[in-house]
Amino acid sequence: DKSDAGTSAHAHIRLVGRKGRQTRLVPLELMQKRRFERGKVETFSLQEPDIGDLDAVEIEHDGETEADSWFLEDVTVEMPTKGRAFYFPCHEWLSKEKGDGRTKRTLKVQDSNKSTFRPLIPYETTIYTGDVENAGCDCDVSLKLFGTTGSSSEHVISKDEGLFERGAINPFRFELDDVGKPIKLRVKIIPQHKKGR
């Protein structure tokens, strides 16, 4: 949340396992946005070979100017199929003009902050808004999945510019609790006057 912490530079990440195995250098492609914004948390879904427990992540961007400077607070990598999470603190600039002038960092895992959580399953869904008068929505939208072994927690999609407008097609990637074979998906809007309650 530092001043000018955000960047529109292209960022990439590589996961490094404890046994020396690593993933490819994966682009972090923002959905519905053009830049990493100050004070915001961005979530990405990566489909890479299993490299076991993580030892480090390598993260970098291609920015050349001071305007491309990026202050990265931390990175959390979750492995939904294993119910594991790994925390990588940074608290540094990735910048050629600020800090130590580096735009690439290797972050080591903090074992004391490694946690266990309920396994999650990655999903991709597309929401189609009808092309009729007043079809759009200015509210956040909540999704809840029901399956053969239970139901997920609610996943809220915050209303941003371009989402849920008349005739819009909006793809999303997110992770929900494992509910077995999906049966139904409940979709509801969150009226503006109820937000924050």
Side-chain angles (χ1 to χ4, degrees):
D1 196 25
K2 286 183 175 288
S3 178
D4 299 322
T7 186
S8 56
H10 298 103
H12 294 76
I13 194 169
R14 186 194 312 276
L15 311 184
V16 181
R18 292 186 177 172
K19 296 183 179 179
R21 290 181 293 174
Q22 59 186 30
T23 67
R24 65 192 173 97
L25 192 61
V26 183
L28 298 178
E29 298 178 352
L30 292 166
M31 296 185 67
Q32 312 293 340
K33 296 182 181 179
R34 293 185 177 180
R35 59 183 285 114
F36 291 87
E37 298 288 355
R38 171 185 175 182
K40 299 294 185 180
V41 176
E42 304 294 348
T43 302
F44 304 90
S45 180
L46 310 181
Q47 296 185 3
E48 295 294 312
D50 184 2
I51 60 173
D53 284 356
L54 299 185
D55 181 59
V57 297
E58 298 173 359
I59 190 161
E60 62 185 76
H61 70 70
D62 62 359
E64 297 284 340
T65 69
E66 184 172 359
D68 294 323
S69 299
W70 184 28
F71 190 87
L72 177 62
E73 191 69 27
D74 55 62
V75 175
T76 299
V77 179
E78 297 179 347
M79 295 182 174
T81 56
K82 294 184 175 183
R84 302 289 297 279
F86 300 87
Y87 174 68
F88 304 86
C90 181
H91 315 304
E92 298 279 357
W93 285 101
L94 280 74
S95 170
K96 290 193 173 182
E97 302 294 333
K98 296 183 179 181
D100 59 8
R102 295 160 55 197
T103 57
K104 178 179 179 179
R105 303 234 173 238
T106 299
L107 311 179
K108 299 293 287 187
V109 69
Q110 271 198 5
D111 285 332
S112 60
N113 287 288
K114 187 168 58 179
S115 61
T116 301
F117 61 99
R118 182 179 175 186
L120 301 175
I121 302 297
Y123 289 91
E124 294 185 6
T125 188
T126 302
I127 295 180
Y128 298 82
T129 302
D131 191 12
V132 298
E133 188 176 359
N134 298 322
C137 172
D138 288 328
C139 302
D140 294 348
V141 171
S142 168
L143 306 178
K144 187 178 180 72
L145 185 64
F146 296 82
T148 54
T149 61
S151 61
S152 73
S153 56
E154 290 198 19
H155 178 80
V156 177
I157 302 174
S158 298
K159 166 66 177 178
D160 285 323
E161 184 177 353
L163 296 183
F164 318 133
E165 301 290 348
R166 173 177 175 175
I169 301 175
N170 302 125
F172 300 95
R173 295 178 183 175
F174 52 87
E175 294 170 344
L176 296 175
D177 302 304
D178 186 357
V179 298
K181 183 178 180 180
I183 297 174
K184 65 180 180 180
L185 179 68
R186 187 183 73 193
V187 181
K188 69 178 183 180
I189 62 173
I190 303 175
Q192 295 285 347
H193 69 277
K194 290 187 177 181
K195 293 175 68 174
R197 290 188 178 180

